[in-house]
Amino acid sequence: MPWQLKKEDKFSLYRPLFSTVLELDNALSNISIDENKVVDCTNLTLIVSTIAMLAKAYQQHQEMNYSFIVVISAKEDIDTLEEYFIVVPTISEAIDYIYMEELERNI
């Protein structure tokens, strides 16, 4: 399994067990769309193909009413990436975002 997976009540946290974005592309193609997810990309530098894969996964999750949050370490890239998917600088912010979206869905 290419991910360290931590399941919580409202979401699962995916941390890659690899270090290259090419492996991330392959691992993303195997993620199911059955729950809210946080994907920790803090140790990876994202390239165009990876951004496209993350955007596709985000869109698929949105269509099924699930959250898909990406955590990155490069805060200067947040403004650019948030055009494609939800991106935050910390895991705790990602968790807060998921709970906020869950509240909005229940209203």
Side-chain angles (χ1 to χ4, degrees):
M1 174 180 247
W3 301 102
Q4 176 186 17
L5 179 61
K6 181 179 178 186
K7 287 203 163 274
E8 297 290 339
D9 183 37
K10 299 276 185 191
F11 67 94
S12 289
L13 172 61
Y14 286 76
R15 285 193 166 115
L17 296 175
F18 44 81
S19 59
T20 69
V21 290
L22 294 176
E23 290 172 293
L24 177 60
D25 287 353
N26 291 334
L28 284 171
S29 65
N30 294 321
I31 287 183
S32 64
I33 308 164
D34 59 352
E35 63 185 348
N36 297 318
K37 292 183 183 64
V38 174
V39 178
D40 182 2
C41 294
T42 54
N43 293 325
L44 299 170
T45 301
L46 302 181
I47 60 173
V48 173
S49 66
T50 306
I51 293 168
M53 292 285 288
L54 289 167
K56 180 180 176 186
Y58 169 76
Q59 186 62 39
Q60 291 170 333
H61 280 75
Q62 289 295 297
E63 290 170 2
M64 300 299 290
N65 275 336
Y66 290 117
S67 298
F68 186 85
I69 315 296
V70 179
V71 181
I72 63 167
S73 59
K75 291 181 178 150
E76 63 275 3
D77 292 338
I78 288 177
D79 289 338
T80 304
L81 294 175
E82 66 187 2
E83 294 177 32
Y84 307 103
F85 44 81
I86 304 299
V87 60
V88 295
T90 67
I91 290 172
S92 77
E93 286 180 70
I95 293 167
D96 289 346
Y97 203 100
I98 284 178
Y99 280 99
M100 181 183 69
E101 284 191 335
E102 279 291 307
L103 284 172
E104 287 175 1
R105 284 187 202 111
N106 291 329
I107 292 179

